[in-house]
Amino acid sequence: MTQQFSDFMRVEYGAGEGMLLTMSVKEEHQAESALIINTFLNNILELSIQDIMNNER
């Protein structure tokens, strides 16, 4: 997922005691930053839902 958005933003994630997600929209795309972040998060949510649905079958 992060590779698909690499032209628009930098994403870092990690897990330790909790989960950490850091998203930075590149300077040249700041005007669309809300749309880019929203689309990224919606894609993650959709993939998570699909994964849950597939595991329940």
Side-chain angles (χ1 to χ4, degrees), residues 9-53:
M9 62 192 293
R10 194 180 94 221
V11 178
E12 296 177 16
Y13 53 92
E17 290 183 25
M19 182 178 237
L20 175 66
L21 175 64
T22 305
M23 299 176 288
S24 302
V25 176
K26 294 182 178 179
E27 188 67 34
E28 61 269 22
H29 300 289
Q30 283 297 308
E32 303 101 8
S33 63
L35 178 61
I36 292 167
I37 290 172
N38 191 30
T39 303
F40 180 80
L41 293 174
N42 280 334
N43 287 353
I44 290 174
L45 179 59
E46 184 176 324
L47 289 173
S48 297
I49 292 169
Q50 288 175 7
D51 188 49
I52 290 168
M53 300 273 292

